[in-house]
Amino acid sequence: MLAYASPLRNQQGAVVVMHDVTEIRRLERVRRDFVANVSHELRTPVSIIRANAETLLDGAIEKPEVARRFLDAQLRSADRLAALVADLLEISRIEAGTYEISPDEIELEPIVAHTIDEVERLAQEKHIEITSDVPEDMTVWADEQALEQVLLNLIDNAVKYTPTGGKIVVRAKKRDDMVRIEVEDNGPGIEARHRARVFERFYRVDKGRSREVGGTGLGLAIVKHLAEAMEGQVGVEPAEPQGSLFWLTLPAASD
Ligand code: ADP
C-alpha cells in the first residue's frame, strides 16, 4: 500500500488516500529480474569468447590441434549470443507493440509441412520421425509469420528435447469456432511443477540441457506472446504414456 495523508485545515484529523501498489511492485520486480537474467545470459558467452582469445594470443594459436578447440568454442558462444540477441529483439518488439500482427485466412497444412521441413535435418540426425495429421482444408485466422514462428518454436523444441529415435506428431482439430493445434512428443515430458512456468522468460527445466541444445530460454515466452496477440492461447499437458503435448488454439477462419 502506498498512502498519502494530508492534515485537514480547520479541523482535527486528516485525509488519507491509499493506493494498492501490489501490481506495480510485481512488475518492477519482473523487470529487475529480467535485466539481471539478460546480463547473466550475455556474460557467459562473452567471457568464453574473451578467455579463449586470450589463450590463443598467449600461444595456443601456435598449436593447431588445441587452437581449433578454442576457436570452436568461440564460434559456439558467438552463435549463442546471436540467438539470444535475436530472441531479445523479438520479445522487445512484441512488448513494445511494434510487431505488427495482421491476421488473415491461412491454410494450416502447408505451413505445418513447411515448418517440419525446416527442422527435418536435425530430426534426421536424431532419427526422430515427425508426422503431420492436419486436414488439408483446415484454415485459421492468424498472422502467417507469427504462426510460422510459433509452430517452429514448438516443433523445434520437441526435436531438441526428445531423445534419439523419438516420435513427434503435429495435429489439428476444429472445436467450435477455434482450431486446436497440438505438437506431441514422446520425450522426457515436463514435471507438473515446471509445466506452469515454462512459458516464463528464461525459465528452463534443465539449464545445462537447454544450453547444450542451443536454447535461449525465451522461445516459449515468445510463443505465448504471439499466440495471445492472435487471440489464441497456449499450454502444455503430459502426453500418454510419456512425453509433452504442447497445444495452441487459434480462431478458425469463418466465411
Ligand atoms: P529453450 O530455449 O531453453 O528451449 P523455451 O522457452 O523454448 O527455452 O523452453 C523452456 C523450457 O521448457 C526448456 O528449457 C525445456 O526445459 C522445456 N521444454 C520445452 N519444450 C519441451 C519439450 N518438448 N519436452 C521437454 N521439455 C521441454
Side-chain angles (χ1 to χ4, degrees), residues 28-239:
E28 284 170 1
R29 201 176 53 246
V30 167
R31 182 164 301 236
R32 262 200 318 273
D33 289 353
F34 182 61
V35 172
N37 271 325
V38 169
S39 319
H40 178 79
E41 294 293 330
L42 293 175
R43 204 174 295 139
T44 316
V46 169
S47 39
I48 293 175
I49 292 173
R50 190 161 198 291
N52 286 15
E54 266 176 4
T55 314
L56 284 163
L57 288 173
D58 281 350
I61 200 166
E62 314 295 348
K63 301 178 200 140
E65 64 293 355
V66 288
R68 178 166 273 282
R69 256 194 12 240
F70 288 113
L71 284 169
D72 204 48
Q74 282 194 321
L75 188 60
R76 264 181 291 127
S77 291
D79 284 346
R80 207 176 135 55
L81 273 181
L84 259 170
V85 169
D87 278 358
L88 282 170
L89 280 176
E90 194 72 10
I91 283 234
S92 62
R93 223 154 55 96
I94 299 169
E95 291 192 346
T98 52
Y99 190 113
E100 290 237 344
I101 296 278
S102 33
D104 207 339
E105 181 174 339
I106 308 267
E107 277 185 45
L108 193 55
E109 200 275 331
I111 292 215
V112 169
H114 172 72
T115 313
I116 293 176
D117 284 347
E118 279 189 60
V119 298
E120 197 55 54
R121 203 174 61 85
L122 181 60
Q124 273 177 5
E125 271 172 27
K126 294 180 73 181
H127 303 284
I128 289 176
E129 186 194 330
I130 311 179
T131 44
S132 162
D133 181 10
V134 179
E136 274 197 5
D137 56 351
M138 189 168 269
T139 53
V140 288
W141 187 250
D143 178 280
E144 185 162 352
Q145 205 196 339
L147 175 59
E148 224 177 286
Q149 196 170 359
V150 167
L151 289 173
L152 182 62
N153 270 313
L154 295 180
I155 302 174
D156 187 46
N157 274 352
V159 176
K160 280 192 312 197
Y161 294 106
T162 301
T164 309
K167 284 191 167 37
I168 297 168
V169 185
V170 185
R171 64 175 87 80
K173 304 171 209 169
K174 190 151 184 270
R175 279 194 185 170
D176 304 322
D177 51 357
M178 299 297 276
V179 168
R180 178 175 156 114
I181 305 166
E182 296 179 348
V183 179
E184 181 175 350
D185 66 59
N186 64 352
I190 302 173
E191 274 179 61
R193 66 194 164 103
H194 298 301
R195 234 177 277 138
R197 301 197 58 192
V198 288
F199 292 95
E200 291 174 18
R201 300 183 288 198
F202 292 119
Y203 190 86
R204 283 171 286 201
V205 178
D206 177 344
K207 263 205 175 145
R209 178 91 193 89
S210 162
R211 289 236 171 88
E212 223 173 88
V213 296
T216 61
L218 294 170
L220 289 178
I222 294 175
V223 164
K224 189 170 160 65
H225 271 300
L226 290 178
E228 285 172 0
M230 291 188 285
E231 323 259 290
Q233 285 183 325
V234 281
V236 59
E237 295 167 7

